[in-house]
Amino acid sequence: MEMRQVLCAELDRMMAENENIVVIDADLSKPNGTFALRSKYPERAFDVGIAEQNMASVAAGMSSYGFIPFISSFTPFSSRRICDQIAISIAYAKQNVKILGTDPGISAEFNGGTHMSMEDIGVLRSIPEMVLYEPVDAAQLAQALPQIVDYYGPVYIRMFRKVVEDVFTDPGYQFDLFKADTIQEGSDVSIFCSGIMVQETVKANERLKAEGIQADIISIHTVKPIDRQAVIASAKKTGAVVTAENHNIIGGLRSAVAEVLVEECPVPLRAVGVKDVFGQVGKLPFLKEEYQMRAEDIVAAVKEVVELKK
């Protein structure tokens, strides 16, 4: 199932149970999967048109009256375009707004460089009291949304729109918004990964195991507040770290992990992600190769950092 289908189904279920939940779009409800909510909840699902700053301000006002607004657009329009409204009208004013940005980083594909938000985590991570969450797969997203509704305060959801490979297939999987997920325990290297790079890390792990490298694989779905204890415990155990993210390596997961390590457990670190450049038009496989974000790039980073710790 596509991630946007999971989003719509879960919002539908929660809106039926909680009449305070509202959805506000900025002319992208069909691509983002929320269009069907309008006919079912005509008084709680709105479209403000191509006016994202207005969308954020309307949501802040509705939150002040007790509503729980979900606002959605493509990631660059839900982050850098409305940064001032997020900082002042939502975060500073302590409003309970949930911000959805879809197709982050290179997943914007044919929308090209203008729509590839390589910096959104870095921008919003610097705003006090923001929670930044990036779902890994459909099963996790379905569990995350009710927790996001229950949490009071601004939450930024950085979501791939379409189908992703399942990672959390165990029916007993229990999600915690503020705790990282250990996918595999290992002793040679810690790989902290997020979003679509979790799937790439799982693929890389097959090659690493074949070469006798045991990786501690930690999925960091919430970059802020980051699960510091998970980072420290893993890094102390392995003594070497690789981060893998669909974002500029400046300001995102690498930066968040490095900030913890430099204070608590300095170890060698290498990063897989966008190397401080703008995006371009292309299909996802091409873009992963272009920006060195494939499984083989993770393997290469692991080998380098394992050698460094010797």
Side-chain angles (χ1 to χ4, degrees), residues 3 103-112 115-116 118 134 136 158-165 194-200 203 245-247 274 279-297:
M3 298 284 271
D103 282 1
I106 62 172
S107 65
E109 293 190 291
F110 289 120
N111 280 328
H115 286 53
M116 288 186 180
M118 313 297 199
E134 184 166 10
V136 173
R158 188 180 199 254
M159 191 191 83
F160 187 82
R161 277 191 301 148
K162 299 179 182 177
V163 175
V164 295
E165 296 174 38
S194 62
I196 61 173
M197 296 305 289
V198 176
Q199 285 82 353
E200 289 297 316
K203 294 174 186 175
E245 61 189 308
N246 176 28
H247 186 274
V274 179
Q280 60 183 294
V281 172
K283 290 185 177 180
L284 203 53
F286 164 78
L287 294 168
K288 285 181 179 179
E289 180 177 4
E290 184 77 3
Y291 295 108
Q292 298 180 311
M293 294 168 59
R294 302 165 299 171
E296 47 261 57
D297 300 307

Side-chain angles (χ1 to χ4, degrees), residues 3-310:
M3 298 284 271
R4 57 186 168 186
Q5 291 176 300
V6 176
L7 171 73
C8 184
E10 194 59 31
L11 282 173
D12 186 357
R13 184 191 66 78
M14 294 188 299
M15 290 174 79
E17 296 175 355
N18 186 342
E19 62 183 16
N20 288 324
I21 298 174
V22 298
V23 174
I24 309 173
D25 291 291
D27 203 43
L28 289 172
S29 60
K30 288 184 178 179
N32 282 343
T34 56
F35 183 77
L37 298 172
R38 286 197 218 166
S39 58
K40 192 166 184 180
Y41 306 100
E43 297 181 352
R44 287 192 285 142
F46 313 101
D47 193 325
V48 300
I50 306 174
E52 293 86 2
Q53 294 95 333
N54 188 43
M55 173 179 69
S57 298
V58 168
M62 296 189 77
S63 172
S64 71
Y65 280 87
F67 290 99
I68 306 172
F70 278 77
I71 63 175
S72 70
S73 186
F74 290 160
T75 304
F77 310 137
S78 290
S79 57
R80 63 179 184 239
R81 179 166 292 180
I82 62 172
C83 182
D84 187 59
Q85 285 74 25
I86 292 174
I88 303 304
S89 299
I90 295 174
Y92 182 78
K94 300 188 182 302
Q95 298 303 331
N96 189 26
V97 178
K98 317 307 177 184
I99 306 155
L100 178 73
T102 63
D103 282 1
I106 62 172
S107 65
E109 293 190 291
F110 289 120
N111 280 328
T114 58
H115 286 53
M116 288 186 180
S117 48
M118 313 297 199
E119 70 297 304
D120 54 315
I121 293 176
V123 169
L124 299 184
R125 196 166 71 91
S126 62
I127 298 175
E129 300 185 16
M130 288 293 300
V131 172
L132 307 181
Y133 165 67
E134 184 166 10
V136 173
D137 65 8
Q140 187 189 85
L141 178 62
Q143 288 197 39
L145 287 168
Q147 292 187 30
I148 289 168
V149 167
D150 289 342
Y151 172 82
Y152 186 93
V155 179
Y156 177 65
I157 306 166
R158 188 180 199 254
M159 191 191 83
F160 187 82
R161 277 191 301 148
K162 299 179 182 177
V163 175
V164 295
E165 296 174 38
D166 293 330
V167 173
F168 301 105
T169 56
D170 183 347
Y173 170 65
Q174 294 293 317
F175 173 81
D176 187 325
L177 182 61
F178 299 109
K179 295 293 182 183
D181 289 313
T182 299
I183 294 175
Q184 174 184 286
E185 294 191 8
S187 56
D188 297 322
V189 63
S190 302
I191 307 177
F192 299 107
C193 46
S194 62
I196 61 173
M197 296 305 289
V198 176
Q199 285 82 353
E200 289 297 316
T201 301
V202 171
K203 294 174 186 175
N205 187 49
E206 295 305 311
R207 304 183 192 188
L208 294 172
K209 286 192 293 186
E211 298 191 32
I213 298 174
Q214 300 300 314
D216 212 40
I217 301 176
I218 312 292
S219 169
I220 305 286
H221 47 255
T222 299
V223 179
K224 184 184 179 185
I226 195 168
D227 187 348
R228 292 177 63 91
Q229 292 308 310
V231 173
I232 295 166
S234 181
K236 283 185 175 180
K237 177 171 63 172
T238 67
V241 168
V242 169
T243 58
E245 61 189 308
N246 176 28
H247 186 274
N248 192 340
I249 62 170
I250 298 173
L253 178 62
R254 169 185 172 267
S255 294
V257 168
E259 288 162 13
V260 176
L261 295 178
V262 75
E263 292 180 352
E264 304 287 348
C265 180
V267 298
L269 180 152
R270 289 293 181 269
V272 175
V274 179
K275 306 297 195 298
D276 200 26
V277 294
F278 289 107
Q280 60 183 294
V281 172
K283 290 185 177 180
L284 203 53
F286 164 78
L287 294 168
K288 285 181 179 179
E289 180 177 4
E290 184 77 3
Y291 295 108
Q292 298 180 311
M293 294 168 59
R294 302 165 299 171
E296 47 261 57
D297 300 307
I298 297 171
V299 170
V302 165
K303 290 181 177 180
E304 182 180 350
V305 81
V306 167
E307 189 65 28
L308 282 172
K309 76 171 184 174
K310 291 180 179 179

